[in-house]
């Protein structure tokens, strides 16, 4: 029964994150609140929707410039992939590099969202998440695999997008907790 409730929380978190991220510039606060929602469920804390929106509100300050930068980065990479793949000789290789860069950016964004707390600035979170993405390649690979599962499952059954977004958030939380545990064991 506990596993089913975790799936229900993933479904709820996925739905709420997709709704809050609709204005696009609220992507980072939505992801941070979604990760905090999953953490709260795992830790036995409240997962009320009111608390989710309080977390979004707490994550908003300072997030807009970083959210816009992330979205511009994804847009530039997507345009490069489409343009280079079809119009430039040897563009296939550069398109692959752009896809890998886009996946790397997504990993950094998820790591930052999973590590978010109200007392940390988004720019600092992104810097630290970039460092952690390279320092913990195993955790980054786990997040890449979660993206792969998300793509395959939603390609086969599009209605499963909601719970799969929640599952990717859960993977980000698990990778963050894994990093914390490994850091404690190293001491």
């Amino acid at each position: 029964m506990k596993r089913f409730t975790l799936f229900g929380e993933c479904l709820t978190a996925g739905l709420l994150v997709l709704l809050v991220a609709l204005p696009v510039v609220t992507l980072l606060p939505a992801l941070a609140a979604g990760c905090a929602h999953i953490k709260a469920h795992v830790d036995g804390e409240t997962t009320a929707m009111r608390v989710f929106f309080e977390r979004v509100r707490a994550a908003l300050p300072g997030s807009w410039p970083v959210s816009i930068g992330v979205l511009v980065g994804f847009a530039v990479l997507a345009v490069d992939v489409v343009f280079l793949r079809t119009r430039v000789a040897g563009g296939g290789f550069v398109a692959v590099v752009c896809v890998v860069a886009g996946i790397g950016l997504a990993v950094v964004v998820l790591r930052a969202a999973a590590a978010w707390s109200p007392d940390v600035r988004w720019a600092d979170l992104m810097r630290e998440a970039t460092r952690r993405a390279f320092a913990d390649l195993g955790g980054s690979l786990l997040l890449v695999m979660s993206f792969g599962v998300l793509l395959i499952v939603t390609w086969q059954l599009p209605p499963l997008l909601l719970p799969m977004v929640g599952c990717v958030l859960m993977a980000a939380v698990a990778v963050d907790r894994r990093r914390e545990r490994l850091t404690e064991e190293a001491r």
Side-chain angles (χ1 to χ4, degrees):
M1 190 66 173
K2 277 189 168 190
R3 289 183 182 154
F4 188 71
T5 59
L6 181 58
F7 177 75
E9 292 300 328
C10 286
L11 177 64
T12 303
L15 173 66
L16 292 172
V17 165
L18 289 176
L19 285 176
V20 171
L22 277 177
V24 182
V25 294
T26 55
L27 175 67
L28 290 177
L31 290 172
C35 287
H37 183 84
I38 298 293
K39 281 181 187 178
H41 173 74
V42 170
D43 293 341
E45 299 170 8
T46 183
T47 56
M49 289 202 323
R50 171 186 50 79
V51 176
F52 176 86
F53 289 107
E54 288 171 5
R55 290 180 183 123
V56 170
R57 206 169 311 117
L60 274 172
S63 69
W64 292 47
V66 179
S67 289
I68 291 170
V70 165
L71 293 170
V72 166
F74 280 129
V76 166
L77 291 169
V79 168
D80 283 351
V81 166
V82 170
F83 179 75
L84 292 172
R85 191 171 52 97
T86 59
R87 296 198 171 99
V88 176
F93 174 74
V94 178
V96 169
V97 170
C98 289
V99 168
V100 170
I103 292 169
L105 180 58
V107 166
V108 169
V109 166
L110 267 178
R111 280 182 170 267
W116 173 80
S117 65
D119 57 337
V120 181
R121 293 180 12 176
W122 276 105
D124 296 337
L125 271 175
M126 292 297 283
R127 236 183 329 276
E128 180 62 22
T130 303
R131 189 195 62 72
R132 279 194 319 252
F134 287 105
D136 178 21
L137 290 176
S140 296
L141 183 60
L142 289 171
L143 288 176
V144 170
M145 288 189 291
S146 75
F147 295 144
V149 171
L150 170 87
L151 289 174
I152 291 169
V153 170
T154 56
W155 167 66
Q156 292 177 348
L157 292 167
L160 290 180
L161 176 66
L162 296 176
M164 288 309 301
V165 168
C167 290
V168 169
L169 295 173
M170 183 175 57
V173 168
V175 165
D176 191 55
R177 295 266 171 107
R178 173 184 169 270
R179 179 193 56 82
E180 290 171 1
R181 191 187 79 233
L182 292 174
T183 303
E184 288 175 10
E185 289 176 0
R187 290 180 190 171

